[in-house]
Amino acid sequence: MFFDILFAVISIILTYQIIPEEIIGFVSNIYLEMIIFTCLVIVVFAYIDLYNYLVFLNRFRYVYRTTKGLVYMFVFYLIWLFASSALHSQYVFSLFILFGIFSFLIYFSRIVLVPFCSLLLPKKEIVIYAPEGNYKDIGNWLQDHIVSGVKIIKISEKREEIEEYVRKGFPVVISTFTENWEELIKHLLYFKGRVLVILFAPILTGIDDVDYWAYLENIPILLFRWSDSSKGYLFIKKLIDFIGAIIAILFFSPFMIIAAVGIKLTSKGPLFFINNRVGKKGKVFKMFKFRSMLESSDDGLHKKFVKDCINGNKEYKFKLTNDSRVTAWGKLLRKTSVDEFPNFFNVLKGDLSLVGPRPPLEYEVSQYSKWHQERLSVEQGITGVWQVFGRARLSFAKSCFLDIYYAENRNLLFDLHLLSQTPHTIVFGKGAY
């Protein structure tokens, strides 16, 4: 972050010096522009998760995310200039100079300066908790990585031996090869809210391309900073829910009208499908969706599917596909997620949040094991980690883990990132049926 702030300031100063004064109109006050530009850099880069230590260790992924961060940064800066009436065609050249200088300095810091500094700085001391005794993969990766900057001071299979280091605040790497999800969650939540945790578990293989994770030979490496449960965060989250739901209802109203007309023209029955869902801490509420099935559909097929899915049949993904009860129009609504647009009314009522795990059915919860209940520890939502990065491609266990990951790591930037990713997921329909 230090280099980002430094190079943001240097970029403004150099641009101001290089560009002739008569065409430098985009800078009415160089000090104000320094503040605006630097603040945007910090916010956007934090939003992209460029300050995630693990992402830094995956060099290709880190360069890719740096490029993404620069693109976002420039877009937001252009929006700021346009909103402040400082953007004019004759000043475009000066913007290219600014962005060129800043991009060069950022790539230089990421590829050269930061790795070099990591070699000079004192090593971060960490401990490895390996309940099954298997730690060499992640241990060697961290220890041999040229820019990891870590020193492993303790490796143990016994949690009580790790405890003394936990009390001193040392970060813990959990290397577990268990095939039991209950054990995995138990290992993880033992350290909840106490120290920073890095989780390495081959059981998570198959959950790929999650923006916030690093990968070692396709095995995810997760950083748990633990959730922001402050009153300020919860208040802002509620405010975003209320304002966002109103905007969404107004914006999507034409699509909802088209969906309603299509339902009435293609099948008999009510416009909406209303059923009981389970929210935070087991609270039951009625959730609204557009009807996508035949009116006389029996839920017996779905109940059997849910039971098999939750109870470990690995062939089942966490959504019933090729369901004969779904109408042709209903398939289109599901593929585009338009059937779920009435959920925004639930957000206005306070039953749902915009971001959170999807609320399960009552008969789903009746099949839950103890570890599954962890996904109900926060407000259920319309979109979330599973909806963006998993959907129907994953098994129930892995989908449930993604919900728990969100519950244990949620914060404002995370919420905003998931909201911004949702339209892309809807448009391309990845994992939707």
Side-chain angles (χ1 to χ4, degrees):
M1 184 182 293
F2 170 77
F3 287 125
D4 294 341
I5 295 172
L6 176 64
F7 291 149
V9 172
I10 290 176
S11 298
I12 290 288
I13 294 174
L14 288 178
T15 303
Y16 188 79
Q17 296 297 320
I18 294 172
I19 302 301
E21 188 174 351
E22 59 269 19
I23 63 168
I24 194 91
F26 79 100
V27 178
S28 56
N29 183 318
I30 188 171
Y31 300 108
L32 176 62
E33 291 303 318
M34 282 182 185
I35 294 172
I36 298 297
F37 191 75
T38 303
C39 288
L40 277 174
V41 168
I42 295 171
V43 171
V44 170
F45 282 12
Y47 167 79
I48 295 294
D49 213 26
L50 282 177
Y51 302 125
N52 183 336
Y53 168 74
L54 290 179
V55 176
F56 172 70
L57 295 183
N58 278 140
R59 303 305 294 155
F60 177 79
R61 179 180 288 263
Y62 197 65
V63 172
Y64 164 75
R65 294 195 64 73
T66 299
T67 303
K68 190 174 181 180
L70 288 169
V71 172
Y72 280 25
M73 171 64 216
F74 297 159
V75 169
F76 283 119
Y77 191 62
L78 287 172
I79 292 172
W80 152 254
L81 292 176
F82 181 81
S84 61
S85 302
L87 182 62
H88 302 286
S89 58
Q90 62 265 41
Y91 307 140
V92 172
F93 177 67
S94 60
L95 292 176
F96 277 113
I97 294 295
L98 172 62
F99 294 161
I101 293 172
F102 183 66
S103 297
F104 173 79
L105 292 174
I106 289 298
Y107 283 123
F108 177 72
S109 71
R110 292 299 192 274
I111 298 172
V112 179
L113 282 183
V114 174
F116 179 73
C117 289
S118 68
L119 295 176
L120 298 179
L121 293 172
K123 299 286 187 181
K124 303 179 186 72
E125 295 181 328
I126 64 171
V127 296
I128 295 181
Y129 172 48
E132 296 85 34
N134 197 331
Y135 61 86
K136 290 185 178 179
D137 290 343
I138 186 65
N140 291 341
W141 186 70
L142 287 171
Q143 204 156 27
D144 297 341
H145 204 297
I146 190 170
V147 293
S148 67
V150 302
K151 178 182 179 182
I152 301 171
I153 60 172
K154 181 68 176 180
I155 301 172
S156 180
E157 301 176 25
K158 299 178 180 179
R159 203 162 58 189
E160 55 269 23
E161 293 182 0
I162 297 295
E163 181 61 32
E164 62 177 293
Y165 296 93
V166 172
R167 288 195 294 267
K168 296 176 182 177
F170 286 92
V172 175
V173 175
I174 301 176
S175 176
T176 175
F177 282 66
T178 181
E179 292 293 324
N180 185 298
W181 289 95
E182 191 96 42
E183 287 184 9
L184 174 68
I185 299 302
K186 188 183 298 183
H187 294 322
L188 177 66
L189 296 186
Y190 175 79
F191 302 100
K192 180 177 179 177
R194 302 172 66 194
V195 292
L196 184 146
V197 168
I198 296 172
L199 176 65
F200 178 76
I203 196 174
L204 301 175
T205 301
I207 309 178
D208 51 15
D209 202 29
V210 178
D211 287 350
Y212 317 98
W213 298 359
Y215 289 84
L216 172 58
E217 297 180 354
N218 297 321
I219 300 174
I221 306 172
L222 292 69
L223 180 65
F224 282 79
R225 300 186 181 101
W226 307 112
S227 291
D228 182 355
S229 56
S230 66
K231 291 182 179 179
Y233 163 69
L234 296 177
F235 173 78
I236 294 174
K237 185 176 175 68
K238 284 289 185 183
L239 186 63
I240 292 175
D241 285 344
F242 181 76
I243 296 174
I246 292 176
I247 293 174
I249 290 170
L250 294 175
F251 181 80
F252 291 124
S253 56
F255 300 97
M256 289 194 277
I257 292 172
I258 294 172
V261 172
I263 291 170
K264 286 300 183 182
L265 291 178
T266 57
S267 63
K268 295 181 180 180
L271 182 61
F272 296 104
F273 175 69
I274 304 173
N275 63 357
N276 290 337
R277 295 290 180 127
V278 181
K280 181 180 178 180
K281 297 182 179 179
K283 180 183 176 182
V284 178
F285 66 94
K286 294 188 180 298
M287 191 170 83
F288 308 111
K289 295 179 66 175
F290 281 122
R291 181 175 58 83
S292 58
M293 295 184 179
L294 298 170
E295 180 184 14
S296 59
S297 297
D298 180 23
D299 62 3
L301 177 64
H302 189 258
K303 284 183 177 179
K304 182 181 184 304
F305 164 78
V306 166
K307 183 177 180 180
D308 290 336
C309 178
I310 294 177
N311 290 328
N313 188 328
K314 295 183 179 180
E315 298 302 316
Y316 284 90
K317 304 303 181 185
F318 190 37
K319 200 164 187 179
L320 182 58
T321 59
N322 299 319
D323 192 339
S324 59
R325 301 171 301 164
V326 180
T327 65
W329 183 250
K331 289 180 180 178
L332 177 61
L333 295 182
R334 288 187 170 199
K335 184 70 175 178
T336 57
S337 298
V338 174
D339 64 318
E340 297 178 354
F341 284 178
N343 290 174
F344 291 114
F345 292 101
N346 284 113
V347 176
L348 281 182
K349 288 181 59 185
D351 297 327
L352 287 178
S353 174
L354 289 178
V355 183
R358 285 296 289 162
L361 295 157
E362 288 183 290
Y363 57 77
E364 287 181 42
V365 177
S366 69
Q367 299 292 324
Y368 277 8
S369 299
K370 184 178 178 180
W371 78 274
H372 298 142
Q373 298 285 343
E374 294 294 331
R375 68 183 302 277
L376 299 176
S377 63
V378 297
E379 297 85 357
Q380 307 296 279
I382 292 179
T383 190
V385 183
W386 169 73
Q387 295 91 314
V388 171
F389 298 112
R391 304 188 86 179
R393 298 181 297 114
L394 301 178
S395 66
F396 171 76
K398 291 178 179 177
S399 301
C400 189
F401 180 84
L402 286 178
D403 288 336
I404 294 173
Y405 173 79
Y406 169 78
E408 301 301 341
N409 289 277
R410 63 179 185 160
N411 57 60
L412 184 58
L413 286 174
F414 197 2
D415 288 346
L416 292 176
H417 188 83
L418 291 170
L419 284 172
S420 70
Q421 291 292 311
T422 300
H424 175 272
T425 303
I426 292 175
V427 169
F428 290 97
K430 186 177 182 181
Y433 295 93

